Amino acid sequence: MKTPELETPRLFLRPLSAEDAIQIQHIFPRWEIVRYLTASVPWPFPEAGAFHYVNNVALPTSENGTAWFWTLRRKEDPHTITGLICLSDEPDNNRGFWLVPEWQRKGYMTEASTAVTDFWFNTLGRERLRAPKASPNLASKKLSTTMGMRLIKTGKAAYVGGEMESELWEITRQEWNCR
């Protein structure tokens, strides 16, 4: 299934496109965004890093139907990207996101996560959603709790900010639809 446009009360979630790499390159390479992302994200972020990621990672997996990527855009400013959220068929890594710091702690990621999680369960028909995260990432953990997820596994993992305690959170379709 192709990535559809989604909408929340305050956001447009638009499918990622090649043209989005230009804005992403300007807003993404910030320590506040990358420090809790997987160590596969290069740091310092290369000059053409967003172009490479969008065109050689994200869009090909979208085209083959194993991942879905959306840019987050506030309805008041629909031309400006404020973050990214994605879903993936990758085992134990089904949802990931980032949001520019200026728009954090305003409920935008909760809105976006609600929309894409509902898409995961009720459009794609998946049975469970798992999301890994760095344990020190308190905002991400709070979002998982708010969404009704539960912690199922802990360990260590490599992040841009170094090796850290890591957590795996999960929710099933039945739990999602009963909340």
Side-chain angles (χ1 to χ4, degrees), residues 73-141:
R73 299 160 187 264
R74 293 178 313 112
K75 288 183 175 179
E76 293 86 14
D77 187 8
H79 300 291
T80 302
I81 296 170
T82 58
L84 186 95
I85 190 165
C86 64
L87 294 170
S88 171
D89 280 330
E90 186 179 331
D92 293 341
N93 189 9
N94 305 131
R95 187 185 66 211
F97 51 76
W98 57 265
L99 188 65
V100 295
E102 302 87 86
W103 298 108
Q104 293 176 5
R105 293 171 182 55
K106 298 180 187 312
Y108 289 115
M109 195 51 73
T110 300
E111 283 185 35
S113 291
T114 298
V116 303
T117 300
D118 198 66
F119 175 80
W120 178 259
F121 287 126
N122 295 314
T123 300
L124 297 175
R126 300 304 196 269
E127 289 299 319
R128 72 184 67 255
L129 182 137
R130 289 186 170 172
K133 57 196 73 229
S135 295
N137 190 346
L138 301 179
S140 184
K141 288 168 53 167

Side-chain angles (χ1 to χ4, degrees), residues 30 46 49 61 69 74 77 85 121 131 135 147 157-158 160 176-177:
R30 295 165 68 176
T61 58
F69 293 81
R74 293 178 313 112
D77 187 8
I85 190 165
F121 287 126
S135 295
M147 310 256 334
V160 174
W176 176 257
N177 288 324

Side-chain angles (χ1 to χ4, degrees), residues 31 34-43 90 93 132-136 154-167:
W31 187 248
V34 303
R35 68 180 166 180
Y36 296 132
L37 297 181
T38 179
S40 63
V41 174
W43 190 256
E90 186 179 331
N93 189 9
K133 57 196 73 229
S135 295
T154 61
K156 289 204 180 275
Y159 295 92
V160 174
E163 185 177 66
M164 298 180 200
E165 290 296 321
S166 184
E167 300 174 352

Side-chain angles (χ1 to χ4, degrees), residues 9-45:
R10 300 180 297 160
L11 295 171
F12 293 119
L13 280 68
R14 295 208 174 124
L16 182 67
S17 69
E19 295 78 32
D20 295 330
I22 296 166
Q23 278 194 64
I24 292 169
Q25 185 66 41
H26 290 290
I27 63 173
F28 177 75
R30 295 165 68 176
W31 187 248
E32 302 93 328
I33 294 173
V34 303
R35 68 180 166 180
Y36 296 132
L37 297 181
T38 179
S40 63
V41 174
W43 190 256
F45 199 64

